[in-house]
Amino acid sequence: MHRAPDGTAYDLNGPDNAPVVVLIHGLGLNRACWQWTVPALTDRYRVLSYDLYGHGQSAPPSDTPNLTFFSQQLSTLLDHCGMDTAVLAGFSLGGMIARRFAQDAPDRTDALVILHSPHKRSPEAQDAILKRVEQACLEGPNSTVEAALERWFTRDFRQANPDMMDTVRRWVTANDIAIYHTIYRVLADGIDEITAPTPPITCPTLVITGDEDYGNGPEMTHAIAREIDGAQTMILSGLRHMALAEAPDAINAPLRSFLEKLDSQK
């Protein structure tokens, strides 16, 4: 583990001079959620994974969190690591941060991989997530984690993998009750910043979700892709939100293929 001057905890893996891929985790998680992805990349890519402010081993946010705040964290980290540009792969909230960064620093964004990330929600879905934010504010992450595990993993996988459920549960419940809800609100309210981006995002983009990811489903994936010229979509059959942990190859294979295609076009 490395630590940047601003308190960001991060890991670097893979060859020193290889193309850079940055992995950005989702709400309540930490960089350990990429443990099933990193080994699929590090023979050919320099992989940077890090903890968002207020998560894992990183410092708490120094200001009220929003997408621009997290975009600046990434910019500062790239500067610290001496990286000019990168491919950004963002999961859920991380996919929102990746899109914000692509708007803020298009010259530093080689490509995007957006995993299980939201677009504009229906009024009913927006009301539901705001209720979860309020619940997290009053009662902390313990109050929302069991419902989250049901949304994130299929029933059969949950039943067959109690150790993984315990691991993910520990990641979520380790979050500070005073901070967690403020970042949860970014997931809920930040979507307007990255919907119909102006100027539009133009870098190569791959958008993936599962057909059972009910909060970030296929219709959202296609909506994200429609706003990015040339973006590709992939819908994973029989998988929910955390496909990267439940079925790593379902994410790793298209991610690797996308990266190799980018390399071939240079």
Side-chain angles (χ1 to χ4, degrees):
M1 191 272 282
H2 305 274
R3 190 175 299 280
D6 68 350
T8 296
Y10 67 97
D11 293 327
L12 276 172
N13 293 279
D16 287 346
N17 297 317
V20 176
V21 179
V22 179
L23 305 177
I24 313 170
H25 67 78
L27 173 77
L29 304 176
N30 58 69
R31 68 190 191 281
C33 77
W34 298 109
Q35 62 189 271
W36 304 279
T37 307
V38 171
L41 303 177
T42 48
D43 64 314
R44 186 165 173 174
Y45 300 97
R46 186 68 162 161
V47 181
L48 170 61
S49 55
Y50 70 102
D51 292 338
L52 297 171
Y53 291 133
H55 292 77
Q57 296 173 293
S58 283
S62 59
D63 202 349
T64 302
N66 57 36
L67 289 180
T68 299
F69 181 73
F70 287 117
S71 173
Q72 184 57 52
Q73 180 188 17
L74 176 53
S75 180
T76 301
L77 182 59
L78 290 176
D79 290 344
H80 171 72
C81 294
M83 298 169 171
D84 293 330
T85 68
V87 175
L88 309 182
F91 168 68
S92 194
L93 173 62
M96 295 171 67
I97 294 166
R99 279 175 276 165
R100 179 71 259 177
F101 185 87
Q103 293 173 237
D104 296 338
D107 57 325
R108 305 191 74 175
T109 309
D110 292 328
L112 293 175
V113 180
I114 301 167
L115 304 173
H116 304 265
S117 198
H119 193 266
K120 192 81 171 177
R121 300 180 185 90
S122 69
E124 295 78 14
Q126 184 67 13
D127 183 61
I129 193 171
L130 289 173
K131 287 179 178 176
R132 294 198 296 273
V133 171
E134 184 63 21
Q135 185 179 8
C137 178
L138 295 173
E139 303 174 37
N142 284 291
S143 66
T144 60
V145 67
E146 297 306 321
L149 291 174
E150 292 184 14
R151 293 194 308 274
W152 293 357
F153 296 96
T154 63
R155 182 184 64 181
D156 289 349
F157 187 84
R158 290 197 311 273
Q159 293 175 347
N161 294 274
D163 289 347
M164 185 181 289
M165 297 307 102
D166 286 343
T167 295
V168 177
R169 188 181 289 111
R170 283 196 302 271
W171 289 344
V172 175
T173 58
N175 285 274
D176 187 332
I177 186 173
I179 296 173
Y180 180 66
H181 71 95
T182 69
I183 302 175
Y184 209 146
R185 186 164 292 279
V186 179
L187 180 68
D189 290 345
I191 199 67
D192 288 340
E193 288 188 47
I194 52 173
T195 301
T198 303
I201 296 170
T202 59
C203 64
T205 300
L206 172 63
V207 196
I208 300 177
T209 197
D211 64 355
E212 294 186 21
D213 188 338
Y214 302 116
N216 310 269
E219 70 286 349
M220 288 189 174
T221 285
H222 294 310
I224 292 168
R226 281 194 297 270
E227 295 181 346
I228 303 173
D229 188 37
Q232 307 167 49
T233 60
M234 177 172 287
I235 308 302
L236 307 176
S237 178
L239 289 169
R240 295 188 180 178
H241 194 52
M242 282 199 71
L244 58 85
E246 179 165 340
D249 287 347
I251 295 293
N252 296 343
L255 171 58
R256 180 70 185 235
S257 178
F258 177 73
L259 294 172
E260 290 179 352
K261 185 177 181 181
L262 291 176
D263 291 346
S264 71
Q265 295 172 344
K266 290 181 180 177

PDB file of all heavy atoms in Angstrom, residues 108-121:
ATOM      1  N   ARG A 108      -6.680  13.867 -20.416  1.00  0.00           N
ATOM      2  CA  ARG A 108      -6.015  12.859 -19.583  1.00  0.00           C
ATOM      3  C   ARG A 108      -6.767  11.524 -19.593  1.00  0.00           C
ATOM      4  O   ARG A 108      -6.317  10.569 -18.954  1.00  0.00           O
ATOM      5  CB  ARG A 108      -5.888  13.351 -18.138  1.00  0.00           C
ATOM      6  CG  ARG A 108      -5.184  14.688 -17.986  1.00  0.00           C
ATOM      7  CD  ARG A 108      -4.854  15.018 -16.553  1.00  0.00           C
ATOM      8  NE  ARG A 108      -3.730  14.205 -16.069  1.00  0.00           N
ATOM      9  CZ  ARG A 108      -3.173  14.358 -14.863  1.00  0.00           C
ATOM     10  NH1 ARG A 108      -3.644  15.280 -14.033  1.00  0.00           N
ATOM     11  NH2 ARG A 108      -2.161  13.601 -14.505  1.00  0.00           N
ATOM     12  N   THR A 109      -7.889  11.467 -20.298  1.00  0.00           N
ATOM     13  CA  THR A 109      -8.750  10.289 -20.294  1.00  0.00           C
ATOM     14  C   THR A 109      -8.602   9.556 -21.620  1.00  0.00           C
ATOM     15  O   THR A 109      -9.120   9.977 -22.642  1.00  0.00           O
ATOM     16  CB  THR A 109     -10.217  10.686 -20.072  1.00  0.00           C
ATOM     17  OG1 THR A 109     -10.319  11.536 -18.922  1.00  0.00           O
ATOM     18  CG2 THR A 109     -11.081   9.457 -19.869  1.00  0.00           C
ATOM     19  N   ASP A 110      -7.873   8.431 -21.597  1.00  0.00           N
ATOM     20  CA  ASP A 110      -7.670   7.668 -22.826  1.00  0.00           C
ATOM     21  C   ASP A 110      -8.930   6.922 -23.244  1.00  0.00           C
ATOM     22  O   ASP A 110      -9.205   6.786 -24.438  1.00  0.00           O
ATOM     23  CB  ASP A 110      -6.535   6.654 -22.629  1.00  0.00           C
ATOM     24  CG  ASP A 110      -5.175   7.314 -22.466  1.00  0.00           C
ATOM     25  OD1 ASP A 110      -4.962   8.390 -23.059  1.00  0.00           O
ATOM     26  OD2 ASP A 110      -4.329   6.760 -21.739  1.00  0.00           O
ATOM     27  N   ALA A 111      -9.656   6.416 -22.281  1.00  0.00           N
ATOM     28  CA  ALA A 111     -10.879   5.655 -22.552  1.00  0.00           C
ATOM     29  C   ALA A 111     -11.604   5.444 -21.234  1.00  0.00           C
ATOM     30  O   ALA A 111     -11.041   5.650 -20.152  1.00  0.00           O
ATOM     31  CB  ALA A 111     -10.552   4.305 -23.201  1.00  0.00           C
ATOM     32  N   LEU A 112     -12.873   5.016 -21.330  1.00  0.00           N
ATOM     33  CA  LEU A 112     -13.694   4.741 -20.151  1.00  0.00           C
ATOM     34  C   LEU A 112     -14.265   3.333 -20.220  1.00  0.00           C
ATOM     35  O   LEU A 112     -14.701   2.881 -21.287  1.00  0.00           O
ATOM     36  CB  LEU A 112     -14.866   5.721 -20.069  1.00  0.00           C
ATOM     37  CG  LEU A 112     -14.593   7.196 -19.812  1.00  0.00           C
ATOM     38  CD1 LEU A 112     -15.903   7.988 -19.888  1.00  0.00           C
ATOM     39  CD2 LEU A 112     -13.920   7.404 -18.471  1.00  0.00           C
ATOM     40  N   VAL A 113     -14.292   2.682 -19.074  1.00  0.00           N
ATOM     41  CA  VAL A 113     -15.069   1.453 -18.886  1.00  0.00           C
ATOM     42  C   VAL A 113     -15.992   1.722 -17.707  1.00  0.00           C
ATOM     43  O   VAL A 113     -15.536   1.937 -16.579  1.00  0.00           O
ATOM     44  CB  VAL A 113     -14.175   0.232 -18.610  1.00  0.00           C
ATOM     45  CG1 VAL A 113     -15.038  -1.009 -18.437  1.00  0.00           C
ATOM     46  CG2 VAL A 113     -13.170   0.041 -19.741  1.00  0.00           C
ATOM     47  N   ILE A 114     -17.288   1.743 -17.963  1.00  0.00           N
ATOM     48  CA  ILE A 114     -18.288   2.132 -16.972  1.00  0.00           C
ATOM     49  C   ILE A 114     -19.067   0.885 -16.587  1.00  0.00           C
ATOM     50  O   ILE A 114     -19.779   0.295 -17.409  1.00  0.00           O
ATOM     51  CB  ILE A 114     -19.227   3.218 -17.539  1.00  0.00           C
ATOM     52  CG1 ILE A 114     -18.413   4.452 -17.962  1.00  0.00           C
ATOM     53  CG2 ILE A 114     -20.289   3.596 -16.525  1.00  0.00           C
ATOM     54  CD1 ILE A 114     -19.194   5.438 -18.806  1.00  0.00           C
ATOM     55  N   LEU A 115     -18.934   0.473 -15.334  1.00  0.00           N
ATOM     56  CA  LEU A 115     -19.498  -0.788 -14.867  1.00  0.00           C
ATOM     57  C   LEU A 115     -20.647  -0.539 -13.891  1.00  0.00           C
ATOM     58  O   LEU A 115     -20.467   0.118 -12.861  1.00  0.00           O
ATOM     59  CB  LEU A 115     -18.418  -1.615 -14.154  1.00  0.00           C
ATOM     60  CG  LEU A 115     -17.147  -1.918 -14.951  1.00  0.00           C
ATOM     61  CD1 LEU A 115     -16.112  -2.585 -14.050  1.00  0.00           C
ATOM     62  CD2 LEU A 115     -17.461  -2.795 -16.155  1.00  0.00           C
ATOM     63  N   HIS A 116     -21.852  -1.019 -14.249  1.00  0.00           N
ATOM     64  CA  HIS A 116     -22.975  -1.027 -13.307  1.00  0.00           C
ATOM     65  C   HIS A 116     -23.182   0.365 -12.687  1.00  0.00           C
ATOM     66  O   HIS A 116     -23.242   0.525 -11.474  1.00  0.00           O
ATOM     67  CB  HIS A 116     -22.730  -2.057 -12.202  1.00  0.00           C
ATOM     68  CG  HIS A 116     -22.494  -3.444 -12.719  1.00  0.00           C
ATOM     69  ND1 HIS A 116     -23.504  -4.368 -12.829  1.00  0.00           N
ATOM     70  CD2 HIS A 116     -21.366  -4.047 -13.162  1.00  0.00           C
ATOM     71  CE1 HIS A 116     -22.998  -5.500 -13.316  1.00  0.00           C
ATOM     72  NE2 HIS A 116     -21.708  -5.318 -13.527  1.00  0.00           N
ATOM     73  N   SER A 117     -23.306   1.352 -13.513  1.00  0.00           N
ATOM     74  CA  SER A 117     -23.364   2.741 -13.061  1.00  0.00           C
ATOM     75  C   SER A 117     -24.678   3.370 -13.501  1.00  0.00           C
ATOM     76  O   SER A 117     -25.226   3.006 -14.548  1.00  0.00           O
ATOM     77  CB  SER A 117     -22.166   3.511 -13.631  1.00  0.00           C
ATOM     78  OG  SER A 117     -21.934   4.709 -12.931  1.00  0.00           O
ATOM     79  N   PRO A 118     -25.187   4.326 -12.730  1.00  0.00           N
ATOM     80  CA  PRO A 118     -26.521   4.849 -13.035  1.00  0.00           C
ATOM     81  C   PRO A 118     -26.537   5.938 -14.101  1.00  0.00           C
ATOM     82  O   PRO A 118     -25.553   6.621 -14.359  1.00  0.00           O
ATOM     83  CB  PRO A 118     -26.979   5.426 -11.696  1.00  0.00           C
ATOM     84  CG  PRO A 118     -25.707   5.851 -11.024  1.00  0.00           C
ATOM     85  CD  PRO A 118     -24.693   4.821 -11.428  1.00  0.00           C
ATOM     86  N   HIS A 119     -27.707   6.079 -14.677  1.00  0.00           N
ATOM     87  CA  HIS A 119     -28.083   7.237 -15.489  1.00  0.00           C
ATOM     88  C   HIS A 119     -29.273   7.860 -14.759  1.00  0.00           C
ATOM     89  O   HIS A 119     -29.521   7.565 -13.589  1.00  0.00           O
ATOM     90  CB  HIS A 119     -28.425   6.780 -16.909  1.00  0.00           C
ATOM     91  CG  HIS A 119     -28.530   7.893 -17.912  1.00  0.00           C
ATOM     92  ND1 HIS A 119     -29.720   8.496 -18.222  1.00  0.00           N
ATOM     93  CD2 HIS A 119     -27.574   8.513 -18.664  1.00  0.00           C
ATOM     94  CE1 HIS A 119     -29.506   9.441 -19.132  1.00  0.00           C
ATOM     95  NE2 HIS A 119     -28.217   9.475 -19.420  1.00  0.00           N
ATOM     96  N   LYS A 120     -29.971   8.735 -15.404  1.00  0.00           N
ATOM     97  CA  LYS A 120     -31.131   9.391 -14.797  1.00  0.00           C
ATOM     98  C   LYS A 120     -32.142   8.355 -14.303  1.00  0.00           C
ATOM     99  O   LYS A 120     -32.513   7.440 -15.034  1.00  0.00           O
ATOM    100  CB  LYS A 120     -31.798  10.312 -15.824  1.00  0.00           C
ATOM    101  CG  LYS A 120     -32.830  11.261 -15.255  1.00  0.00           C
ATOM    102  CD  LYS A 120     -32.161  12.476 -14.645  1.00  0.00           C
ATOM    103  CE  LYS A 120     -33.197  13.535 -14.282  1.00  0.00           C
ATOM    104  NZ  LYS A 120     -32.553  14.695 -13.606  1.00  0.00           N
ATOM    105  N   ARG A 121     -32.570   8.494 -13.054  1.00  0.00           N
ATOM    106  CA  ARG A 121     -33.509   7.539 -12.468  1.00  0.00           C
ATOM    107  C   ARG A 121     -34.953   8.003 -12.656  1.00  0.00           C
ATOM    108  O   ARG A 121     -35.226   9.199 -12.802  1.00  0.00           O
ATOM    109  CB  ARG A 121     -33.232   7.372 -10.970  1.00  0.00           C
ATOM    110  CG  ARG A 121     -31.835   6.861 -10.645  1.00  0.00           C
ATOM    111  CD  ARG A 121     -31.645   6.716  -9.137  1.00  0.00           C
ATOM    112  NE  ARG A 121     -30.264   6.338  -8.816  1.00  0.00           N
ATOM    113  CZ  ARG A 121     -29.290   7.215  -8.590  1.00  0.00           C
ATOM    114  NH1 ARG A 121     -29.549   8.522  -8.607  1.00  0.00           N
ATOM    115  NH2 ARG A 121     -28.066   6.801  -8.329  1.00  0.00           N
TER     116      ARG A 121
END
